[in-house]
Amino acid sequence: MGSGTSTQHHFAFQNAEKAFKAAALIQRWYRRYMARLEMRRHCTWRIFQSIEYAGQQDQVKLHDFFSYLVDHFTPSSNHERDFLDRMFTEDRFPQDSEKFGDYESIEVPDNYTGPRLSFPLLPDHATALVEAFRLKQQLHARYVLNLLHETRKHLIQLPNINRVSTCYSEEITVCGDLHGQLDDLIFIFHKNGLPSPERAYVFNGDFVDRGKDSVEILMVLFAFMLVYPKEFHLNRGNHEDHLVNLRYGFTKEVMHKYKTHGKKILKILKDVFCWLPLATLVDEKVLILHGGVSDMTDLELLAKLDRHKIVSTMRHKTRKENGKQMKKGEANQKSSAGRPTPWFLPQSRSLPASPLRLGSLQAHRAGRSSSIPCGAPRDAKELARQVRHSVDLELDRCRQQAGFPVSRGTEEASLCTPEADSGAEEPLEPTQEEWRQVVDILWSDPMAQEGCKANTVRGGGCYFGPNVTERLLQKYNLQFLIRSHECKPEGYEFCHSRKVLTIFSASNYYEVGSNRGAYVKLGPALTPYIVQYQANKVTHMLTMRQRISRVEESALRALREKLFAHSSDLLGEFKKHDADKTGLITLSDWAEAVESVLHLGLPWRMLRPQLVNSSTDNTLEYKSWLEDLAKEQLNRENIQSSLLETLYRNRSNLETIFRIIDSDHSGFISLDEFRHTWKLFSSHMNINITDDCICDLARSIDFNKDGHIDINEFLEAFRLVEQSCSEGNASDCPQTTNTN
C-alpha cells in the first residue's frame, strides 16, 4: 500500500516535470515567434515611413525650385504678373464681397436629394450632415460655399491660441490627424459621443489630403464648430496649406467632386486655412499644437502675429515683399544664426537643383548648367540683375498704389514717392521670424537626443529634444504637450518622460491593419486617458500574423516600386562595386549600393531575404535582379522599361507641376498658362524663344488638338522627351537630378 502510493507520487512528479518543461518550451517558442513578428512589423513601419518622408522632401525641393524661379523673374506685362501671383499668392487679400458673395446666385435643383443647410446652424443640421456623408451623399456646392463663408467669419474672431477649460465640460477629447478618412471620424463620434456642451473636442490639424473624403471631414468639423463655438475647436496642421494640397490629393478631390464650382471652393478654403488657430491651451496647463516646438518657440509672439498672412509654410518670400521687410527678415535671420536654417529660408540667391528632368535640350546648347553654385552671386552682372529686379518690383508696387499703370519705363520712376509708399494700405508680409515660428509648430518632431536640429528627414521644421521641451514647459508653467503629425503603430506615443504625447487618429493609415487610431480624453485632473481603435472591420477578422503579413507585402510592393524607379542609378552603383565586370556583387555591397542611391535609412541587410533571391556563395547577379524587379511593372504597363522607370520616379512631381501651372485649377493647362510658365523657365536658362515657338511646342503636346493640355498629355510629353533622349545622343539630354 505504501509502496504503491510512493510510486504514484513519483509518476505524478515526473508528469509535472514534463509539463513544466513543455510549458517552458512553448513559452520560449512563443516569445521568439512574437519577437520575429514584432521585428517584421517594425521593418514594415520603417519602409512606409521612409517612403512617406522621401515624398515630403520631393515636395519641398519642387516648391523651392519654383519659388526661386518666381522670385527672380521680371514680368513683362500685367498679364504675366497676374499669372505669377495666381501661381503662389493668388488674391490673398480680396474684399469679402468679391470673394464670398456669389454663393447666393448658385441654385439648388429640385431633384437634389442630399443634405440641406440653413443658417444659423442647429445641432440637428450637423448631425444630419454626418449621417448623409455616412450614406455617401454629397453636399451641394451652394451649401459648401455658404458653410465656408460662415466658417471664415467665425475663425476671424478667434485668437491664435485658443483657451479652453475643463470647468465647463465633463471632459475634453483631443483627436489627431484624420487625413480624409471619414470612417475614423464617424467611429470617434460613435464611440465617444457627438459634440455637445458637456463633450468638448479639439481636432489637432491635418484634416485633409491622402484620404478620399477630405471635403466631407471639413464640412462636418466646420459645422460642429459653428454649432458649438465654445466647445469645438480646430488647430491648423501642415496639410491645411494650398501648396501641400497640390501634391497630396485634396486639390484633385475638390475638383473631381465639384467640377463647376471647385475653383471657388479651393479659393475660399485657401483663405479659411489661413484663419485656423495655431494652438489650443487647456486650463493654461496643456498645450495642444500640431507638430511640436523648437528652441526658438515663443508663445507670446505666436499669440500676437497675424496668422492669416501665413498663407503657406512651403513658401515665405513673395513678390509683394518690400525692401524694408527684406532688411528686417535678414536681420532676424542673422539674430538666429546659431541655429541651422531650415530648408525654406534662403541661404543664398542660388537656384535649387531642378527636381526632375524638364526636357529642355536648349539648356545644353546654351552652354550653362541650370544649377548655380551656392554662395554669393556669380559676378557683378548677376548682382546688378538682382538689384534691378528688386527695384523694379518696388517701383511697380508704388505705381499701383498711386493708381498709375504698371510699366517698365524709367520715365515713370519719379511717380513713386515716399509719401505714396507711406500711405499704402496693402497688408505687410510676415517677417521671417514670425513665419519660422509657425513652421516650427506645424512641422517639427520630437527626438530622444538633447538639443534642437533641422529636420532633414521631413525637409521642414526641426527635431526637438527633452531639454527643449522641459525649458518651454518651465517657461510657460505647463504640464505637458499634446501633438500629432506622426503616424504611430498604436495610435499614440509618450516621449520626453511623458511630457510629450503624440496622438494620431487615422487608423489603417498606410494599409489596412498597419496601425491603430487613437484619441485622448482630459478631465479636470488633466490625466490623459487614451482610447485606441481600428475603424476598418476587416482587421478584427484577421489574426496578428495575417495582419502583419498583409501590411508587410504592401510595404515591400511599395519598396520594389521605389527600387524599380531608380533602376538606372542602381545599375551604375552596382558597377562601381563590380570592378572586374563579372556581373556579380556581394550581398553586403548590394545593401550599401541600394542605400547610397535611395537614402531611405532602411535596414537593407534585414530586408534582403524579401528582396533578393541570392545564391549559396553570397553573391548577386545584379542585372538579372534588376530585370526581375521590372517584370511586375512591365506586365501591367505596355511601356519600355526606361520610360516606365522615369514615370515611376517622377509622376508625383509631374502631377504637382501640372497643378502649379494650372493656376486656375481648371484641370487643363491653357495656352497662356503654358506660355508664361515656359518663359519663366527659359529666362533662367538664358534661352531666347519667341511666343510662336512656345505655341508650337504647346500644340505638339496637345495630342488630341482640343486647345488645352490635360494631365495625361502632360505626362505623355515627358515620356516622349525621355524616349527621344534615350534614342539620341546622350550628351544632348539634360541630366536628371535625383530628388530622393
Side-chain angles (χ1 to χ4, degrees), residues 301-324:
L301 176 58
L302 283 169
K304 66 183 181 182
L305 59 81
D306 294 326
R307 68 178 184 273
H308 69 286
K309 295 177 184 175
I310 312 293
V311 178
S312 174
T313 56
M314 298 293 295
R315 173 175 163 80
H316 173 237
K317 292 178 66 61
T318 70
R319 303 185 64 79
K320 297 181 180 180
E321 192 170 46
N322 58 37
K324 187 183 297 184

Side-chain angles (χ1 to χ4, degrees), residues 292-564:
V293 296
S294 72
D295 54 358
M296 305 291 292
T297 297
D298 184 343
L299 297 185
E300 296 173 355
L301 176 58
L302 283 169
K304 66 183 181 182
L305 59 81
D306 294 326
R307 68 178 184 273
H308 69 286
K309 295 177 184 175
I310 312 293
V311 178
S312 174
T313 56
M314 298 293 295
R315 173 175 163 80
H316 173 237
K317 292 178 66 61
T318 70
R319 303 185 64 79
K320 297 181 180 180
E321 192 170 46
N322 58 37
K324 187 183 297 184
Q325 289 167 298
M326 291 176 68
K327 292 178 182 178
K328 186 175 180 180
E330 291 169 1
N332 286 331
Q333 189 170 347
K334 290 178 181 178
S335 68
S336 58
R339 178 183 163 205
T341 305
W343 53 267
F344 32 70
L345 297 180
Q347 299 270 11
S348 67
R349 309 305 295 175
S350 61
L351 174 64
S354 169
L356 50 79
R357 187 173 303 181
L358 294 174
S360 173
L361 303 182
Q362 293 94 328
H364 169 74
R365 296 180 187 129
R368 63 186 291 266
S369 171
S370 62
S371 180
I372 304 171
C374 293
R378 293 190 308 274
D379 49 30
K381 182 178 179 180
E382 174 67 8
L383 178 61
R385 189 188 69 78
Q386 294 176 10
V387 173
R388 184 173 65 252
H389 169 68
S390 299
V391 171
D392 286 341
L393 290 179
E394 180 66 9
L395 289 175
D396 284 343
R397 189 182 64 80
C398 293
R399 294 188 191 103
Q400 287 178 316
Q401 293 167 359
F404 291 94
V406 177
S407 172
R408 289 290 165 204
T410 56
E411 66 276 4
E412 294 181 359
S414 60
L415 297 175
C416 178
T417 62
E419 290 77 8
D421 183 62
S422 62
E425 296 182 358
E426 181 179 314
L428 298 177
E429 298 296 331
T431 65
Q432 284 189 351
E433 179 59 26
E434 291 173 330
W435 186 68
R436 184 202 306 248
Q437 290 280 332
V438 175
V439 173
D440 279 348
I441 66 171
L442 296 187
W443 279 86
S444 297
D445 295 308
M447 65 177 180
Q449 298 78 18
E450 301 283 308
C452 186
K453 64 179 182 179
N455 192 334
T456 55
V457 176
R458 282 191 189 270
C462 70
Y463 281 119
F464 62 99
N467 59 327
V468 175
T469 298
E470 189 60 35
R471 279 201 303 267
L472 185 118
L473 295 180
Q474 290 181 0
K475 180 178 180 181
Y476 296 104
N477 194 25
L478 302 172
Q479 290 185 11
F480 62 96
L481 306 178
I482 297 179
R483 43 92 61 176
S484 303
H485 194 44
E486 284 184 286
C487 183
K488 298 297 181 180
E490 297 301 318
Y492 78 98
E493 183 178 87
F494 281 101
C495 63
H496 294 182
S497 302
R498 296 181 69 88
K499 296 298 179 65
V500 174
L501 169 61
T502 298
I503 286 291
F504 196 85
S505 298
S507 64
N508 308 298
Y509 178 63
Y510 293 121
E511 175 63 64
V512 174
S514 63
N515 66 285
R516 295 181 180 181
Y519 55 87
V520 57
K521 302 164 77 170
L522 298 174
L526 298 181
T527 302
Y529 175 72
I530 310 293
V531 179
Q532 298 170 278
Y533 60 88
Q534 281 197 325
N536 193 303
K537 295 180 180 178
V538 175
T539 58
H540 303 294
M541 300 166 56
L542 302 175
T543 65
M544 182 178 180
R545 181 174 182 176
Q546 288 173 329
R547 283 201 304 270
I548 291 178
S549 297
R550 181 172 179 170
V551 175
E552 182 182 52
E553 181 54 38
S554 178
L556 291 173
R557 184 167 57 251
L559 188 56
R560 291 188 190 99
E561 290 179 0
K562 196 79 172 174
L563 289 166
F564 171 73

Side-chain angles (χ1 to χ4, degrees), residues 689-730:
I689 183 169
T690 65
D691 284 351
D692 290 340
C693 291
I694 296 176
C695 290
D696 290 340
L697 180 60
R699 294 188 187 99
S700 68
I701 298 176
D702 179 18
F703 297 112
N704 62 2
K705 307 304 177 187
D706 60 355
H708 50 243
I709 301 168
D710 61 26
I711 182 65
N712 293 324
E713 291 171 333
F714 190 73
L715 295 175
E716 183 69 17
F718 277 84
R719 281 179 50 191
L720 293 177
V721 168
E722 190 73 23
Q723 186 176 28
S724 65
C725 289
S726 62
E727 292 175 351
N729 188 345

Side-chain angles (χ1 to χ4, degrees), residues 29-81:
W29 170 85
Y30 180 74
R31 287 176 176 173
R32 289 177 180 175
Y33 172 76
M34 294 302 295
R36 286 195 296 269
L37 286 182
E38 178 61 24
M39 187 179 299
R40 289 171 58 189
R41 189 183 68 86
H42 182 69
C43 284
T44 298
W45 191 260
R46 288 193 61 180
I47 292 172
F48 278 128
Q49 201 166 61
S50 297
I51 292 176
E52 178 187 5
Y53 290 170
Q56 291 182 351
Q57 292 176 31
D58 278 0
Q59 170 86 351
V60 167
K61 293 175 184 178
L62 184 59
H63 283 287
D64 226 11
F65 176 72
F66 268 95
S67 294
Y68 182 92
L69 296 186
V70 172
D71 287 336
H72 289 72
F73 180 69
T74 303
S76 60
S77 67
N78 286 339
H79 198 41
E80 285 185 2
R81 185 184 305 279

Side-chain angles (χ1 to χ4, degrees), residues 605-620:
R605 288 174 175 80
M606 188 179 300
L607 293 168
R608 200 168 57 199
Q610 287 90 353
L611 297 172
V612 176
N613 294 323
S614 61
S615 58
T616 55
D617 59 353
N618 202 36
T619 59
L620 171 68

